[in-house]
Amino acid sequence: MEKTKDLADLSSLSERKRRDSFGMFDGYDSCSEDTSSSSSSDESEEEVAPLPSSLPIIKNNGQVYTYPDGKSGMATCEMCGMVGVRDAFYSKTKRFCSVSCSRSYSSNSKKASILARLQGKPPTKKAKVLQKKPLVAKLAAYAQYKATLKNQSVNKAPVTVEGFSWGNYITSNNTAAAPVTCFRHAPMGNCWGDIAEGVRVEVPNTDSNLPTKVFWISGIVKLAGFNALLRYEGFENDSSLDFWCNICGPDVHPVGWCATSGKPLVPPQTIQHKYTNWKAFLVKRLTGAKTLPPDFSQKVSESMQYPFKPSMRVEVVDKTHLCRTRVAVVDSVIGGRLRLVYEESEDKTDDFWCHMYSPLIHPIGWSRSIGHRFKRTDILKKQESNYDAPSHLFTKVKDIEQGSEWFKEGMKLEAIDPLNLSAICVATIRKVLADGYLMIGIDGSEAADGSDWFCYHASSPSIFPVGFCEINKIELTPPRGYTKLPFKWFDYLRETGSIAAPVKLFNKEVPNHGFRVGMKLEAVDLMEPRLVCVATVTRIIHRLLRIHFDGWEDEYDQWVDCESSDLYPVGWCQLTGYQLQPPAPQSNKDSQSNISKQKKKSKSQPYKGHKKKSFQKMLDLMQTTPL
C-alpha cells in the first residue's frame, strides 16, 4: 500500500515538473511549483469550446508550448550567451541557462568560451559536449527554421503600396474577403485547413521596451484572405493594439515555436500589471485552443515552389492577333504568374503576362496538333539556352467524348468577348478544331480574314448556350449594327438561317466555390494582364463571377470564372512580392464619370454594341503604371 502511494506521488511530482518547467529547458525545475500548481488548477476550470480538430490542440502538459513568467525579466547565460526569460534559468542566481553551462563555467574552458562569445564565435567544443541533448535539439530546430526563412525570402519580398493598407481598407468599409480556400491555385489553397477566428499564434511583441526581440501569444480576431487581424492575449475586449499581418509571413508561428527555438515570451507592457501569474493565465486561456500546424511555414514554402523556370519555351496566344499563337520564353515567375517574352522580341519588351495554369499557354507543338493557327518564329532567333517546357506542366483540359451530335461550324451561342470582358455577346462557331477546341467569332465585329477569332475549349466556362443571358437576367450584347432591338434570339436565328448549339454540349458543372457577393479579393485586369488590382465580387451567376475593380467605373468590370487562375486572396501580392494596384483615387473616378456622361449625351444613333478595347490600346494606356 505504501509502495503504491510512493509511485503515485512520484508520478504526480513528475507531471508537475513537466508542467511547471514548460519545456524551456527540459529536465530543469525552472518555475516555482507553489505558484504554478495551485494557480493553474484553480483557474483552468473554465470550459473551452472545441475548435476544428484538424489544427493542433494546445495541451497543458509542457510538451507543446512554453510560457515563462514575463515579469521576471530577461537574463543572459554567462557561459554560452543564450538570452532568455530569467525565470527559466538554472540555479538561484539565474546566471546560467543549464547545468552544463554552470559546470563549464568552472572548468578550464571558461576563459576561452567567454572570449569566443564576446567575439561572436560559437561556444568551445567542451561547452558544446556538456550541453544536454534537449537544448542542442532546440538550437538545431531554430537553425533549421532560420534556413527555411532564408529559402522563403527568395520568393517572399513583401511589397507595400504607398497609402494603401488592406487591413484599413477592410476595416473602414466593414467588408469581408474571400477565404483562401476559394483559390485552389494560390499558395496554401489546398491545405489551408481550419485556420479561422480564435486560432492562436506566436508573434513579435511590439509593445515592449526590452532591447531584444520578444514574442507573445495573439488570437485571430478576423480573417481576410491571407491577412489576419490579431489581438494579444490579455487584452480581452480592448482593441487598441490590434494589428493586421499576413498569416503566412515569417513572423507568425504556431504556439510552441518559442519553446522550440528558445525565444522569450513576454506580455505586452500595457497589460503587464493585470496579472501576477501570467503562466497560469495562459494555461487557462490556451488549454484546448487551436494553433497552426508545426510545419506550417514549411507548407507555405513548398506551396510557393513553381515548376516553370526562366528560359522555358511555350506557345501562347498572340496578343495582337487572338486567332493565332506564338512561341514565347519564360522571363520570370512571380507567385506562379509568368512574364512571357515573345521569342522574336530582341529587346524583350514585347511580353505577355499570365498564370502558369492559364488556358492561354500550351506546350510547344500544341497548335500543330489541333490545327490552330501559329506564327512561326525565325529559327535564327532561337537561343540555345532556351528549352521546351515539359508538357506535364500545363493544365489538362477536361476529356470530352465527341458523339454524333457535336459542335458544328455556323452554330450560334453566347460567349464572353476576350477583348471586352464586361460583355457577353452573340457569337458563332467559325471552326471546329481537334481535341474539343473551337474557334469562335463575335457577330458583327469580325475581321474579314478571321484575325480576331479566338479559341475556347468546349468545356470552357466562358461559352454559354443560346438564352443563357435572358434566363439569368444578364444584358446580352447584340451584333454591332443590329437594329431590331430588343434583341430576340428566335428572330435572329430565323433571319440568319442559323441553329443554336445544343444545350447539352456545354459545361454545366457548378462547384461549391465559396464566393459571396461583396467579398474582396485581388484580381488581374485581363485587359492589361500584368496588373493585379483591388477588386470586389458584385454578382454571381452559377460559376460566373462579376469582378469590379474598386475605384473604377462599372464599364471596366469583367466576367470571370470562379476557378480562374487570375483571382487571388487578399494578401497574395504581399506574400509573393507582386505589385498590387490600389483603388483608383477619387479624382480619377470623377474624370471617368464625366467621360461616361459625355458619351451618354452624345448618343443619338441606334445602339451598335460595345466597341472592343484592343490589347495594344490598353497597353499604351497603362504605360504610366509600371510593375
Side-chain angles (χ1 to χ4, degrees):
M1 188 71 178
E2 192 69 20
K3 185 177 181 181
T4 304
K5 183 179 179 181
D6 290 343
L7 288 174
D9 291 342
L10 182 61
S11 175
S12 176
L13 178 61
S14 175
E15 178 63 29
R16 285 207 316 274
K17 190 172 184 180
R18 287 201 311 273
R19 181 178 69 238
D20 296 342
S21 69
F22 275 76
M24 176 61 81
F25 300 109
D26 292 341
Y28 306 126
D29 188 10
S30 58
C31 297
S32 171
E33 291 192 19
D34 293 337
T35 58
S36 63
S37 58
S38 60
S39 300
S40 61
S41 59
D42 292 339
E43 296 183 31
S44 61
E45 294 178 356
E46 180 182 345
E47 292 186 4
V48 180
L51 294 175
S53 58
S54 62
L55 292 178
I57 299 175
I58 302 173
K59 301 176 182 178
N60 181 18
N61 61 4
Q63 302 302 306
V64 180
Y65 61 94
T66 61
Y67 304 106
D69 187 352
K71 286 192 66 179
S72 301
M74 306 296 294
T76 302
C77 178
E78 295 183 16
M79 183 61 202
C80 69
M82 171 73 72
V83 178
V85 175
R86 183 179 179 82
D87 188 53
F89 273 44
Y90 174 72
S91 81
K92 292 182 179 180
T93 58
K94 307 298 182 184
R95 295 173 60 195
F96 309 104
C97 67
S98 64
V99 173
S100 60
C101 280
S102 177
R103 291 173 179 171
S104 297
Y105 190 82
S106 302
S107 70
N108 293 331
S109 63
K110 179 181 70 172
K111 292 182 180 180
S113 296
I114 293 175
L115 180 60
R117 178 166 62 84
L118 292 175
Q119 294 175 343
K121 298 178 181 179
T124 62
K125 183 176 181 181
K126 185 173 183 180
K128 290 181 180 178
V129 173
L130 290 174
Q131 286 178 341
K132 289 179 71 69
K133 186 176 179 180
L135 179 57
V136 176
K138 290 169 184 175
L139 291 173
Y142 180 63
Q144 183 178 6
Y145 167 80
K146 294 295 287 186
T148 302
L149 285 189
K150 185 176 181 180
N151 291 334
Q152 287 181 3
S153 65
V154 176
N155 295 321
K156 288 184 182 178
V159 171
T160 57
V161 179
E162 185 178 354
F164 179 78
S165 163
W166 259 123
N168 294 338
Y169 194 66
I170 292 285
T171 303
S172 60
N173 291 284
N174 193 27
T175 55
V180 174
T181 51
C182 291
F183 309 89
R184 298 295 179 182
H185 57 281
M188 301 299 291
N190 290 314
C191 53
W192 190 247
D194 296 310
I195 298 176
E197 296 176 8
V199 169
R200 307 308 208 282
V201 293
E202 293 179 354
V203 292
N205 176 7
T206 58
D207 183 28
S208 171
N209 57 2
L210 296 173
T212 57
K213 188 175 183 178
V214 295
F215 295 79
W216 191 240
I217 313 299
S218 291
I220 297 178
V221 177
K222 184 175 183 177
L223 266 180
F226 288 120
N227 293 348
L229 181 63
L230 300 180
R231 181 174 300 170
Y232 290 122
E233 282 296 336
F235 274 80
E236 308 300 339
N237 297 322
D238 181 2
S239 61
S240 60
L241 287 186
D242 287 3
F243 61 97
W244 286 90
C245 75
N246 196 304
I247 284 292
C248 297
D251 275 335
V252 180
H253 312 281
V255 172
W257 175 83
C258 283
T260 304
S261 307
K263 293 294 181 180
L265 280 166
V266 178
Q269 187 176 0
T270 303
I271 59 171
Q272 206 166 40
H273 65 280
K274 290 182 65 174
Y275 299 95
T276 57
N277 190 337
W278 279 100
K279 180 176 60 180
F281 166 79
L282 289 175
V283 168
K284 175 182 176 181
R285 290 284 296 169
L286 301 180
T287 299
K290 296 296 189 299
T291 187
L292 301 176
D295 60 345
F296 185 74
S297 64
Q298 181 181 347
K299 286 184 177 180
V300 172
S301 180
E302 290 174 353
S303 68
M304 294 178 65
Q305 304 301 314
Y306 308 108
F308 280 88
K309 306 299 179 185
S311 298
M312 284 186 173
R313 300 172 75 240
V314 301
E315 288 185 11
V316 64
V317 64
D318 185 342
K319 67 183 181 183
T320 58
H321 295 84
L322 298 185
C323 65
R324 69 187 184 190
T325 58
R326 295 168 63 183
V327 173
V329 179
V330 177
D331 177 73
S332 58
V333 183
I334 306 178
R337 293 195 64 76
L338 312 177
R339 179 180 183 260
L340 302 172
V341 176
Y342 290 113
E343 199 168 45
E344 293 177 326
S345 177
E346 295 182 357
D347 58 0
K348 295 189 176 182
T349 57
D350 190 9
D351 62 359
F352 185 80
W353 282 87
C354 67
H355 194 271
M356 62 183 184
Y357 295 149
S358 170
L360 299 177
I361 60 171
H362 310 278
I364 298 296
W366 173 83
S367 298
R368 182 178 58 185
S369 68
I370 70 164
H372 194 284
R373 288 190 193 178
F374 177 72
K375 181 183 180 183
R376 295 187 179 277
T377 303
D378 185 347
I379 195 169
L380 297 177
K381 303 288 185 183
K382 182 178 177 181
Q383 298 183 14
E384 294 182 1
S385 60
N386 298 337
Y387 60 102
D388 297 350
S391 59
H392 69 270
L393 300 184
F394 298 85
T395 301
K396 300 295 186 294
V397 294
K398 181 181 178 182
D399 290 331
I400 294 180
E401 187 175 338
Q402 300 182 24
S404 56
E405 191 173 9
W406 186 242
F407 290 103
K408 294 181 175 60
E409 291 183 17
M411 284 184 172
K412 299 293 183 181
L413 70 164
E414 298 175 5
I416 296 176
D417 184 351
L419 291 179
N420 184 11
L421 293 159
S422 65
I424 299 179
C425 306
V426 173
T428 303
I429 296 175
R430 293 304 180 189
K431 189 176 181 181
V432 179
L433 308 179
D435 297 341
Y437 286 96
L438 310 169
M439 295 302 296
I440 297 173
I442 301 297
D443 285 21
S445 303
E446 297 175 69
D449 59 356
S451 60
D452 55 357
W453 294 354
F454 49 92
C455 183
Y456 279 146
H457 192 262
S459 62
S460 170
S462 297
I463 58 175
F464 317 96
V466 163
F468 173 84
C469 286
E470 182 179 0
I471 293 172
N472 293 287
K473 295 181 172 54
I474 300 174
E475 180 183 357
L476 176 67
T477 302
R480 181 174 297 179
Y482 189 74
T483 57
K484 291 186 62 176
L485 301 177
F487 179 84
K488 298 292 183 182
W489 263 115
F490 180 79
D491 295 336
Y492 187 69
L493 291 175
R494 184 182 57 190
E495 292 168 7
T496 57
S498 307
I499 62 172
V503 175
K504 65 180 181 180
L505 300 181
F506 293 86
N507 183 3
K508 304 181 188 66
E509 295 181 4
V510 181
N512 184 20
H513 48 70
F515 286 102
R516 299 290 181 269
V517 171
M519 283 183 170
K520 299 292 182 182
L521 70 163
E522 298 176 3
V524 174
D525 179 357
L526 293 169
M527 299 311 302
E528 177 42 72
R530 62 191 177 92
L531 302 180
V532 178
C533 312
V534 172
T536 306
V537 178
T538 57
R539 194 174 178 191
I540 301 175
I541 306 295
H542 307 302
R543 64 180 300 147
L544 198 61
L545 308 180
R546 181 82 171 180
I547 301 299
H548 174 76
F549 297 103
D550 291 17
W552 294 87
E553 293 293 321
D554 293 347
E555 63 182 88
Y556 295 98
D557 289 2
Q558 297 178 359
W559 288 108
V560 182
D561 182 62
C562 65
E563 294 183 340
S564 169
S565 58
D566 294 307
L567 303 178
Y568 307 102
V570 165
W572 177 85
C573 281
Q574 181 189 16
L575 177 63
T576 61
Y578 206 96
Q579 179 70 57
L580 176 67
Q581 302 299 316
Q586 187 63 37
S587 58
N588 285 17
K589 189 172 182 179
D590 292 340
S591 62
Q592 295 171 41
S593 180
N594 292 334
I595 293 173
S596 297
K597 288 178 181 178
Q598 291 174 8
K599 287 181 178 179
K600 290 178 181 178
K601 288 180 181 178
S602 63
K603 282 185 179 180
S604 57
Q605 50 186 329
Y607 176 77
K608 295 185 178 181
H610 289 286
K611 291 184 179 180
K612 293 185 179 181
K613 308 168 186 174
S614 75
F615 273 104
Q616 194 59 49
K617 287 181 180 178
M618 292 301 294
L619 194 64
D620 296 338
L621 180 66
M622 303 308 295
Q623 284 299 321
T624 56
T625 312
L627 184 65

